[in-house]
């Protein structure tokens, strides 16, 4: 049936079968002034328009969209035969789910930016070279690790901090600098006193020139001279000095 009801025009199929529109050439739907609404090309594209501007076109490999794709809250975009990738926004947060074993981020040249491995590592790359990788025990860095501000390493009972503004490596109370396979030498502050603790062999303090032991106010307490005297002081005054023949008081 083709008719006009006084307000609108209709093409209506009310019987059995389909309503087929056939053409060996392009079928166009246009506004009365000639503005394109849709085009249907035999053995070719279907084109959809908005206000005369093409927004959607089918191609031999899929579709081409000119503009945005909009989806409302909780509307999902699924990719893959088994809906392997799921992207959506729930009104508050955005989600990206991957059902694949590994999720890759790469550029058009197939260079890696990042890899996310299910039940495994997160890998970050620079110029296609892996620089950071999480592990079951923590993380692995390939190359230098630079912090532009303070760097804090948290321990069980004490912290270690690189203080950028002070150019200082700071050990908090009871944070120890240890040396040797069995922590044979330990240097630390226990909150009240500073301690140098050697547990293996001899503790040697060596100097190619004079060896001085001073208070934090600059008063000399001990002075050792290579191939010369060893001197002991009291209140910054010399009290005992060794000589080639003995000692001098």
């Amino acid at each position: 049936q083709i008719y006009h009801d006084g307000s609108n025009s209709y093409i209506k199929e009310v019987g059995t079968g389909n309503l087929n529109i056939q053409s060996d050439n392009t079928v166009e739907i246009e506004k009365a002034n000639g503005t394109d609404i849709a085009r249907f090309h035999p053995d070719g594209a279907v084109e959809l328009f908005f206000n005369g501007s093409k927004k959607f076109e089918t191609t031999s490999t899929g579709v081409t969209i000119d503009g945005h794709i909009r989806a409302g809250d909780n509307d999902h975009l699924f990719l893959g035969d088994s809906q392997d990738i799921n992207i959506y926004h729930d009104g508050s947060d955005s989600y990206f789910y991957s059902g694949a074993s590994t999720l890759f981020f790469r550029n058009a040249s197939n260079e890696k930016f990042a890899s996310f491995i299910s039940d495994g590592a997160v890998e970050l790359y620079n110029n296609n070279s892996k620089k950071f990788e999480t592990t079951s025990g923590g993380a692995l860095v390939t190359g230098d690790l630079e912090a532009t501000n303070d760097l804090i390493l948290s321990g069980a009972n004490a912290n270690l901090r690189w203080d950028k503004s002070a150019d200082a490596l700071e050990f908090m109370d009871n944070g120890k600098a240890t040396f040797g396979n069995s922590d044979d030498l330990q240097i630390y502050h226990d909150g009240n006193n500073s301690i140098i603790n050697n547990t293996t062999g001899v503790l040697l303090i060596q100097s190619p020139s004079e060896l001085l032991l001073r208070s934090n106010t600059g008063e000399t307490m001990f002075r050792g001279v290579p191939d010369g005297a060893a001197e002991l002081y009291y209140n910054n005054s010399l009290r005992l000095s060794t000589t080639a023949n003995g000692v001098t008081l």
Side-chain angles (χ1 to χ4, degrees), residues 6 12 24 27 93 104 128 137 146 171 177 182 186 222 225 242:
K12 182 183 293 188
D24 289 334
V27 175
D93 302 300
F104 296 103
N128 209 36
E146 181 178 349
F171 292 80
S182 301
Q186 302 176 1
F222 171 82
V225 181
T242 62

Side-chain angles (χ1 to χ4, degrees), residues 92-200:
S92 300
D93 302 300
S94 299
Y95 298 86
F96 188 108
Y97 290 104
S98 173
S101 58
T102 302
L103 175 64
F104 296 103
F105 284 87
R106 298 181 177 180
N107 65 10
S109 301
N110 206 35
E111 290 187 352
K112 293 180 181 179
F113 296 145
S115 300
F116 302 87
I117 303 170
S118 296
D119 301 321
V122 171
E123 302 172 345
L124 301 179
Y125 293 76
N126 177 272
N127 195 26
N128 209 36
S129 175
K130 184 166 61 177
K131 297 301 181 183
F132 182 90
E133 175 184 0
T134 62
T135 68
S136 60
L140 176 65
V141 175
T142 301
D144 299 328
L145 178 62
E146 181 178 349
T148 59
N149 209 329
D150 292 356
L151 178 64
I152 298 176
L153 302 178
S154 299
N157 300 301
N159 294 337
L160 172 65
R161 176 175 64 191
W162 169 254
D163 189 331
K164 181 179 182 294
S165 61
D167 289 329
L169 184 61
E170 300 175 347
F171 292 80
M172 303 298 104
D173 288 345
N174 294 304
K176 297 179 180 180
T178 63
F179 305 86
N181 291 342
S182 301
D183 297 339
D184 307 285
L185 174 63
Q186 302 176 1
I187 302 175
Y188 64 99
H189 185 79
D190 66 3
N192 296 303
N193 302 298
S194 297
I195 301 168
I196 300 175
N197 181 26
N198 178 60
T199 61
T200 304

